Every structure is written in C-alpha cells, then in structure tokens.
Amino acid sequence: QVQLVESGGGLVQAGDSLRLPCAASGRTFSGYTMGWVRQAPGKEREFVAAILCSGSRPYYADSVKGRFTIARDNAKNTVFLQMNSLDPEDTAIYYCAASRAVVATTGRLYLYWGQGTQVTVSS
C-alpha cells in the first residue's frame, strides 16, 4: 500500500506558475513509476506526466509538453509537478498516482491515488 498526499493547488492567473508536491508513504516509493493525472469538470481523466523509478525518462502529454516538468526525490519520497505558463485549459483536479508499469499513460495503470488538489487558472 502507498499513501499519496498532494498539495500546492490554488487559484492563479493565466501565465502564472505552480508547483505541486506529492508526498508518499507506505511501501517502497522508489519502486513505482509516479505520475500526474488530471480531471476537469465534465471531462474524462487525462494523463499529464510520469517519471520512472530512477527519475529518468520523464514523459508528458502533448498538451503540457514544454510547460510542465515532473521530477522526483526518492530520498524524500516526493514527486513534483512544476507547471509554468498556465492556461485556463489547465484548470482541473490534479491527482498524483503510483504505477508498476514502465509506461503509464492511462489512469487504469495506476494502483494508488492521492485525494487530488484543485488547480484553477483564470483568464
């Protein structure tokens, strides 16, 4: 079992930045691919970014590539999502999740989920 707790969400203006940390506890954090998935009102869940156990080879959804960066600190059991140049289209609840898959670009591949943090971007 892995427990995940996201934080850092809030209300920002278009063009602003936010950094979302996700703290993990429980089973070995470094053994999981960590990802971020978001869900906007009335829309399906959307993969955002993920990073392998070692911290190498991050990968991103096309919609956030070049603006968002995912990173992890295995010593501190934390994964981060740095979001720059935010757009109102980025408004959603952002979930941190853990997967055993190497390539985890769909929500069904994630075993453990946090409670989510709301990000709202005003125009």
Side-chain angles (χ1 to χ4, degrees), residues 20-24 29 34 71-80:
L20 306 182
C22 171
F29 171 77
M34 296 300 299
R72 65 190 294 164
D73 184 339
N74 287 340
K76 296 182 178 180
N77 286 3
T78 305
V79 61
F80 303 93

Side-chain angles (χ1 to χ4, degrees), residues 1-6 22-30 32 34 72-79 96 98 112-115:
Q1 190 81 3
V2 176
Q3 291 80 41
L4 302 170
V5 179
E6 308 93 335
C22 171
S25 60
R27 302 188 68 176
T28 307
F29 171 77
S30 60
Y32 292 87
M34 296 300 299
R72 65 190 294 164
D73 184 339
N74 287 340
K76 296 182 178 180
N77 286 3
T78 305
V79 61
C96 171
Y112 305 107
W113 294 78
Q115 82 289 348

Side-chain angles (χ1 to χ4, degrees), residues 8-10 12 15-20 36 38 48 64 67-69 80-86 90 94 117 119 121:
V12 297
D16 285 352
S17 298
L18 272 179
R19 189 183 192 222
L20 306 182
W36 289 90
R38 68 187 181 185
V48 175
V64 306
R67 299 187 299 123
F68 290 12
T69 302
F80 303 93
L81 184 67
Q82 176 67 42
M83 305 186 295
N84 298 331
S85 301
L86 282 162
D90 297 317
Y94 284 72
T117 186
V119 172
V121 184

Side-chain angles (χ1 to χ4, degrees), residues 44-118:
E44 295 185 352
R45 283 188 308 193
E46 177 190 19
F47 166 78
V48 175
I51 189 166
L52 299 183
C53 305
S54 64
S56 64
R57 296 179 58 192
Y59 45 100
Y60 303 91
D62 288 343
S63 59
V64 306
K65 202 171 293 182
R67 299 187 299 123
F68 290 12
T69 302
I70 187 171
R72 65 190 294 164
D73 184 339
N74 287 340
K76 296 182 178 180
N77 286 3
T78 305
V79 61
F80 303 93
L81 184 67
Q82 176 67 42
M83 305 186 295
N84 298 331
S85 301
L86 282 162
D87 183 272
E89 290 294 312
D90 297 317
T91 295
I93 299 174
Y94 284 72
Y95 297 92
C96 171
S99 173
R100 285 294 195 186
V102 173
V103 179
T105 56
T106 59
R108 64 180 177 84
L109 294 175
Y110 288 91
L111 301 173
Y112 305 107
W113 294 78
Q115 82 289 348
T117 186
Q118 176 70 48

